Amino acid sequence: EVQLVQSGSEVKKAGESLKISCKASGYWFTRYWIGWVRQMPGKGLEYMGIIYPDDSDTRYSPSFQGHVTISADTSINTAYLQWNSLKASDSAIYYCVRKSGYFHSDFDSWGRGTQVIVSS
Amino acid sequence: QSVLIQPPSTSGTPGQRVTISCSGSSSNIGGFTLHWYQQLPGTAPKVLIYGRNQRPSGVPDRFSGSKSGTSASLAISGLQSEDEGDYYCAAWDDSLNAYVFGTGTKVTVV
């Protein structure tokens, strides 16, 4: 069974850095694209980007390019989403997601989400 | 602002059939497979329809998808109270070089 287990909720201040994680299990980690989706309070879903752990090929949505960093550690089957300087507008739930195949495909597995609260 | 446009809301009575539209362009729906996701209150989304209108195991056949040109729709037949939630279409967009979600539709069972 595919599982994506995300790190717990975070409360941070604007300007601080943050790295949240997503530990994958139940499949060959290096052979599937894995990424992140944002959901701001009361709003819809936004694709942030994906990484192919086998070669670290990373594709960002233009909306998030330069604002976050997506990475993966194949030794512990874990993907990360990182901010160097948080803003209040980064407050949201962040879902870890796995692509079912090629990078045009659907997200067939979702983590439970990590809530990030950033105070100004 | 999303490039896939959905109606904000729709409603139906138990047993009724409802449809949700998703309007896009040749760079997304017109050129790539369209996916549908369901997000029930307080939970993570899950995929409902993928590929050529395929359903993952466990998704009832009450849910069906269709696509024509640059538009698509999701039909829910035999509407049930547990279907209340938000529904999103999504596809790859070749112009944006990104996966895009629709604006989302809230389904209410009255």
Side-chain angles (χ1 to χ4, degrees):
Chain A
E1 178 195 6
V2 175
Q3 285 195 313
L4 301 175
V5 179
Q6 299 187 226
S7 50
S9 298
E10 301 275 359
V11 179
K12 308 289 281 186
K13 294 181 179 179
E16 291 185 330
S17 63
L18 175 64
K19 192 173 188 178
I20 61 176
S21 66
C22 170
K23 184 166 177 61
S25 62
Y27 72 97
W28 198 336
F29 179 70
T30 57
R31 297 300 179 89
Y32 287 82
W33 292 88
I34 188 167
W36 298 90
V37 170
R38 183 176 80 173
Q39 188 167 38
M40 299 178 74
K43 302 298 184 181
L45 305 174
E46 299 175 273
Y47 164 83
M48 300 179 73
I50 50 176
I51 185 168
Y52 192 68
D54 193 47
D55 60 7
S56 295
D57 184 4
T58 308
R59 314 287 179 97
Y60 292 97
S61 163
S63 300
F64 292 91
Q65 177 87 47
H67 297 288
V68 297
T69 301
I70 295 172
S71 60
D73 185 336
T74 57
S75 68
I76 54 173
N77 291 357
T78 299
Y80 300 97
L81 178 65
Q82 181 177 1
W83 294 261
N84 289 334
S85 181
L86 287 161
K87 303 175 184 177
S89 57
D90 292 320
S91 296
I93 295 175
Y94 293 87
Y95 292 103
C96 176
V97 290
R98 187 192 81 156
K99 281 280 183 180
S100 64
Y102 56 96
F103 69 85
H104 295 177
S105 63
D106 62 294
F107 291 125
D108 66 348
S109 295
W110 293 66
R112 290 191 173 188
T114 295
Q115 182 161 43
V116 174
I117 297 172
V118 183
S119 60
S120 55
Chain B
Q1 190 168 349
S2 179
V3 296
L4 299 182
I5 306 302
Q6 302 177 233
S9 63
T10 189
S11 63
T13 56
Q16 196 173 16
R17 182 177 186 269
V18 297
T19 61
I20 301 169
S21 61
C22 175
S23 178
S25 69
S26 58
S27 65
N28 42 66
I29 296 177
F32 300 92
T33 55
L34 194 283
H35 316 127
W36 287 95
Y37 298 88
Q38 176 194 58
Q39 185 176 30
L40 300 177
T43 70
K46 71 171 190 178
V47 63
L48 274 184
I49 302 289
Y50 68 99
R52 292 185 186 276
N53 298 317
Q54 296 174 272
R55 291 182 307 275
S57 60
V59 174
D61 59 6
R62 302 186 293 105
F63 294 91
S64 63
S66 64
K67 187 177 91 166
S68 178
T70 59
S71 295
S73 63
L74 174 72
I76 310 174
S77 58
L79 191 66
Q80 299 181 6
S81 58
E82 54 260 40
D83 298 332
E84 276 203 344
D86 297 316
Y87 293 77
Y88 298 89
C89 59
W92 184 261
D93 188 293
D94 216 22
S95 294
L96 296 174
N97 201 26
Y99 193 73
V100 291
F101 288 97
T103 49
T105 299
K106 184 175 185 63
V107 172
T108 302
V109 182
V110 297

